[in-house]
Amino acid sequence: MLELLFLGTGASVPSRDRATSCIAVRGGSDIILMDCGEGSQRQLMISPFSFMKIRAVLITHLHGDHVFGLPGLLQTMSLSGRTEPLTVYGPKGLAKGLDMMMTATEGETIYPLEVVELEGGEEFAVRDMTVRSFRTEHGMPSIGFIVREKDKPGKLDRAKALSLGIRDGPDMARLKNGESVGDVRPEMVVGPRTPGASIAYTGDTMPCETVIEGCKGATALVHESTYMSTEAGLAADHFHSTARQAAEVAMGAGVGMLLLTHVSNRYDDRGLVEEDARAVFPDSVVVDDMDWFEVLSDSVRRKVTSV
């Protein structure tokens, strides 16, 4: 299971009710932070997630509402005595941009900090989670991410294993872990592995094939929906997506649930934004700051209405 906590769901600028883009994914006690708009560390401090448990930060692009909170968070980790290394991943230009912000604010870290620039298509591990990047289209270097937990071992058919001469104990465990015991191979007594939960996040993007491919089969898709379909022209002009376009991506990618974020402050009735998406993909929800979900391999459920 993965936990998904929305720390900031606003578009472009914060409002009374919404901070700018920031999402936390937790697997066990380890946290991956995706985007870090201004105010993100304050949101973390009033949330049930500890910023000292962040193992990696994933930045989708360098617009301020997705990155201005990062220098402050990195410095606060130092002031809080962090010693564990941290890696920040993002598109081309991230290393230079972050260095300029840290230098201008005389920011220092007492822990090892690594910045890795990606082009899309890379895969890497963050503790027991794996992350794969994919290209997006936002008029500047930009990428999305899909985070997966490890697949779960298949169920061991104990009776069949016993009939083949396997004794209870270490040999049963070896078979379940994928090792052969004598002439007995794991596939003879162990069922297929269950895929782990997965969460895809687009950041800001207009619809494109690389996003559909990158999100394929995700349990949960977090997609920007800055505009409603009535303003598709504005969305295209600014390299953004409408709620209906996000729903079309969800349908094309075959995801389990669509979670809509980055909604423009122009829409007072966000229920209309949700309806716009549900006309295409019924399992669509507009999220608010501090909405918290449990993401399993085959379902998404709200943990609490809000934190």
Side-chain angles (χ1 to χ4, degrees):
M1 180 192 75
L2 297 173
E3 293 176 85
L4 176 60
L5 178 62
F6 289 89
L7 297 163
T9 59
S12 301
V13 296
S15 67
R16 289 177 179 269
D17 302 316
R18 292 175 182 252
T20 51
S21 295
C22 187
I23 298 166
V25 176
R26 184 164 67 180
S29 62
D30 300 316
I31 296 171
I32 294 175
L33 198 68
M34 299 196 288
D35 280 337
C36 192
E38 63 178 284
S40 291
Q41 63 174 315
R42 189 262 182 185
Q43 296 292 89
L44 277 161
M45 288 174 179
I46 64 173
S47 83
F49 286 16
S50 168
F51 63 82
M52 295 297 276
K53 297 292 186 179
I54 295 172
R55 311 305 182 193
V57 180
L58 313 180
I59 299 296
T60 61
H61 64 290
L62 295 181
H63 279 158
D65 60 322
H66 293 255
V67 77
F68 276 166
L70 185 56
L73 177 62
L74 298 179
Q75 294 172 50
T76 296
M77 289 178 178
S78 274
L79 293 173
S80 300
R82 183 185 181 111
T83 58
E84 180 187 354
L86 180 69
T87 304
V88 181
Y89 299 89
K92 183 178 179 181
L94 174 62
K96 181 180 179 181
L98 183 56
D99 180 66
M100 291 174 64
M101 287 188 284
M102 294 291 281
T103 299
T105 57
E106 298 185 354
E108 295 181 349
T109 59
I110 62 173
Y111 54 88
L113 176 64
E114 182 181 7
V115 179
V116 177
E117 294 187 346
L118 308 172
E119 294 184 356
E122 299 88 352
E123 186 167 320
F124 50 93
V126 178
R127 297 293 177 96
D128 287 336
M129 294 173 279
T130 60
V131 181
R132 190 178 73 247
S133 64
F134 54 87
R135 292 183 182 181
T136 61
E137 288 289 341
H138 193 47
M140 66 185 303
S142 60
I143 50 178
F145 300 95
I146 184 166
V147 179
R148 298 182 184 276
E149 67 172 342
K150 287 183 176 179
D151 292 347
K152 297 175 177 61
K155 185 176 181 181
L156 174 68
D157 188 334
R158 178 176 171 275
K160 187 172 182 180
L162 289 171
S163 72
L164 294 172
I166 302 299
R167 297 181 179 180
D168 282 322
D171 285 347
M172 288 282 190
R174 287 173 58 195
L175 283 167
K176 189 161 187 179
N177 289 331
E179 299 178 41
S180 294
V181 178
D183 294 331
V184 181
R185 301 184 307 278
E187 59 268 25
M188 297 168 63
V189 294
V190 179
R193 298 176 70 85
T194 302
S198 55
I199 298 168
Y201 173 51
T202 65
D204 291 358
T205 185
M206 63 190 306
C208 58
E209 192 61 34
T210 55
V211 172
I212 295 175
E213 288 299 317
C215 300
K216 284 276 188 181
T219 316
L221 168 59
V222 181
H223 200 298
E224 71 118 309
S225 54
T226 309
Y227 298 97
M228 291 182 62
S229 57
T230 52
E231 294 176 293
L234 273 177
D237 289 344
H238 297 284
F239 295 91
H240 279 292
S241 296
T242 68
R244 185 164 299 192
Q245 288 169 337
E248 290 168 350
V249 170
M251 183 70 71
V255 305
M257 175 178 275
L258 174 61
L259 301 169
L260 299 167
T261 187
H262 203 274
V263 178
S264 172
N265 290 330
R266 72 185 66 210
Y267 302 118
D268 294 326
D269 187 350
R270 295 178 188 273
L272 295 176
V273 179
E274 194 167 276
E275 289 176 12
D276 202 19
R278 286 184 172 180
V280 174
F281 191 80
D283 208 355
S284 300
V285 176
V286 173
V287 294
D288 295 310
D289 287 16
M290 297 301 169
D291 277 357
W292 191 3
F293 297 86
E294 292 180 340
V295 182
L296 291 80
S297 59
D298 59 355
S299 62
V300 181
R301 61 193 183 203
R302 190 181 294 271
K303 187 160 186 176
V304 291
T305 302
S306 60
V307 175

